[in-house]
Amino acid sequence: MPLNRDRILNTAFTLLNQYGLADLSMRRLATELGVAPGALYYHVKNKQELLASLASRILNDVPFPAEQGEIDRIFADVYSHLIPVKEAAEVVRLALALDPHQLQFLDHLTTYLTHHTGSQQAPLAALTLVHVALGFIEQDQTRYLLGNSPPPTEAPLPYRQAIQAVFTGFLK
Amino acid sequence: MPLNRDRILNTAFTLLNQYGLADLSMRRLATELGVAPGALYYHVKNKQELLASLASRILNDVPFPAEQGEIDRIFADVYSHLIPVKEAAEVVRLALALDPHQLQFLDHLTTYLTHHTGSQQAPLAALTLVHVALGFIEQDQTRYLLGNSPPPTEAPLPYRQAIQAVFTGFLK
DNA sequence: ACCTGAACACCGTTCAAGT
DNA sequence: ACCTGAACACCGTTCAAGT
């Protein structure tokens, strides 16, 4: 089994899921793959680039409804896809900051909003909706990481109300 | 000059401002204060708690208009206060996740929204507005940290449009 | 081409011992 | 009460050398 980019990304995802971002170190990753730390740098530029790739993978896995879906449904899916992955929101935000256009989800959302609202503010609306979603998801994730409440599987009401309000705010 | 919590926080703020979050380490902080690393832990629980305190300080310094201000003005002030402080958005978000009620700015904003809109959704609206502001500020900060554009001192148009849209979205 | 070994320059945190 | 010295268990990244 040779070392390659895909095996590294898969193991990184498992590590993130199981132990969180703090334990996702290059050295830990190397150990898990049975390889010397330096070997990773033959397949990956550095840790930042690895995390950005990981984020694209996570977010692009969110199913995007072909036509008839409502934004409520879309962002409910975003929520339930990201919430079980530890610190997924932070990782996605990192990718968003580094290179927004690497996230095809954002492009999909933008064209969706353009078609369904006709507003030329669609790119701004898409970005704003993503910021709100990541903000709430991150807050919920850290809250249940501190052990104070169980992880919700469905998007909670405040989250959905916030998304809805932001959406209607851009309708005029 | 004895070591105390306030001196530590001041030096931490300077370090954050000058070199960014990556160089704000406990060891670096100790060196800057002319003290052994372990000494810090007599005045501060750990790094997380220090960063949370730092965030409260940064956000609570934003001037809050007594009565007649518009939200546009409030969030323009948030922008111009946070944008020059490197990684201020991340630090504030950390504090927000750990303990939202430690940030009195959020409470001020909530009562402001309650008075000016009468909506019982005010707490949710306040939180959403803060998420949006932090999201855009963080994006702008990293963009100019990568050297591609100069740091804006005034809140840019997209930011203000987004804030405005979110606000009106919560008006009904 | 791909990987190891070993090093470089760091981390956060703890804790006996000193004053 | 407050701080030092020293240790513990780690980091990300580079790079000569091996295959």
Side-chain angles (χ1 to χ4, degrees):
Chain A
M1 244 205 280
L3 190 59
N4 59 44
R5 216 167 188 288
D6 238 58
R7 276 192 67 214
I8 293 177
L9 277 170
N10 283 338
T11 311
F13 182 77
T14 308
L15 233 41
L16 182 67
N17 242 323
Q18 225 150 29
Y19 306 103
L21 197 55
D23 285 302
L24 176 45
S25 69
M26 297 302 270
R27 298 182 100 102
R28 178 78 188 271
L29 197 49
T31 307
E32 215 79 12
L33 289 158
V35 96
L40 299 175
Y41 290 84
Y42 196 88
H43 304 274
V44 141
K45 191 170 168 270
N46 53 34
K47 194 181 178 180
Q48 266 215 341
E49 190 245 349
L50 191 158
L51 289 178
S53 279
L54 198 57
S56 299
R57 203 175 252 232
I58 294 171
L59 197 55
N60 292 338
D61 272 358
V62 177
F64 209 92
E67 274 304 320
Q68 76 286 38
E70 296 292 328
I71 21 113
D72 186 63
R73 186 98 188 78
I74 296 174
F75 277 94
D77 283 343
V78 170
Y79 190 93
S80 48
H81 259 76
L82 297 205
I83 202 77
V85 182
K86 269 178 197 134
E87 275 122 317
E90 284 96 315
V91 177
V92 169
R93 212 193 312 271
L94 203 137
L96 188 67
L98 289 179
D99 183 10
H101 287 285
Q102 206 200 346
L103 299 177
Q104 33 172 297
F105 175 83
L106 201 62
D107 291 338
H108 285 161
L109 185 61
T110 304
T111 52
Y112 174 90
L113 290 174
T114 310
H115 287 160
H116 284 249
T117 69
S119 167
Q120 87 281 41
Q121 290 217 84
L124 189 65
L127 195 55
T128 307
L129 284 167
V130 170
H131 280 320
V132 171
L134 292 179
F136 278 91
I137 292 170
E138 181 170 345
Q139 242 196 334
D140 288 358
Q141 278 182 329
T142 49
R143 198 169 307 159
Y144 93 76
L145 252 172
L146 298 180
N148 299 345
S149 71
T153 50
E154 287 271 308
L157 192 59
Y159 170 82
R160 290 169 54 180
Q161 286 174 331
I163 293 289
Q164 197 60 49
V166 173
F167 178 69
T168 60
F170 274 103
L171 283 184
K172 149 85 221 80
Chain B
M1 239 205 282
L3 191 59
N4 58 45
R5 215 167 189 288
D6 238 58
R7 279 191 65 214
I8 294 177
L9 277 170
N10 283 339
T11 310
F13 181 78
T14 307
L15 233 43
L16 182 67
N17 241 323
Q18 223 149 30
Y19 306 103
L21 198 55
D23 286 302
L24 175 45
S25 68
M26 298 302 270
R27 298 182 100 101
R28 179 78 189 271
L29 197 48
T31 306
E32 214 81 12
L33 287 159
V35 97
L40 299 176
Y41 290 84
Y42 195 89
H43 304 276
V44 141
K45 191 170 168 270
N46 52 35
K47 195 182 180 179
Q48 267 216 340
E49 190 245 350
L50 191 158
L51 288 178
S53 279
L54 198 57
S56 298
R57 203 176 252 230
I58 293 171
L59 197 56
N60 293 338
D61 271 359
V62 177
F64 210 94
E67 274 304 323
Q68 78 284 40
E70 296 292 327
I71 23 113
D72 186 64
R73 187 97 187 78
I74 296 175
F75 277 94
D77 284 342
V78 170
Y79 190 94
S80 48
H81 260 75
L82 296 205
I83 202 78
V85 182
K86 266 174 198 138
E87 275 122 318
E90 284 96 316
V91 177
V92 169
R93 212 194 311 272
L94 202 136
L96 188 67
L98 288 180
D99 182 12
H101 287 286
Q102 206 199 344
L103 298 176
Q104 32 174 297
F105 175 83
L106 200 63
D107 290 338
H108 286 161
L109 184 61
T110 305
T111 53
Y112 174 90
L113 290 175
T114 311
H115 288 158
H116 284 249
T117 68
S119 167
Q120 86 282 41
Q121 289 216 87
L124 189 66
L127 195 56
T128 307
L129 284 166
V130 169
H131 280 321
V132 171
L134 292 179
F136 278 90
I137 292 171
E138 180 169 345
Q139 242 195 332
D140 288 359
Q141 279 183 328
T142 49
R143 197 170 307 160
Y144 93 78
L145 250 172
L146 299 179
N148 300 346
S149 71
T153 49
E154 287 271 310
L157 193 58
Y159 171 83
R160 290 168 56 180
Q161 286 175 329
I163 293 288
Q164 197 60 52
V166 173
F167 179 69
T168 59
F170 274 103
L171 282 184
K172 156 72 220 86

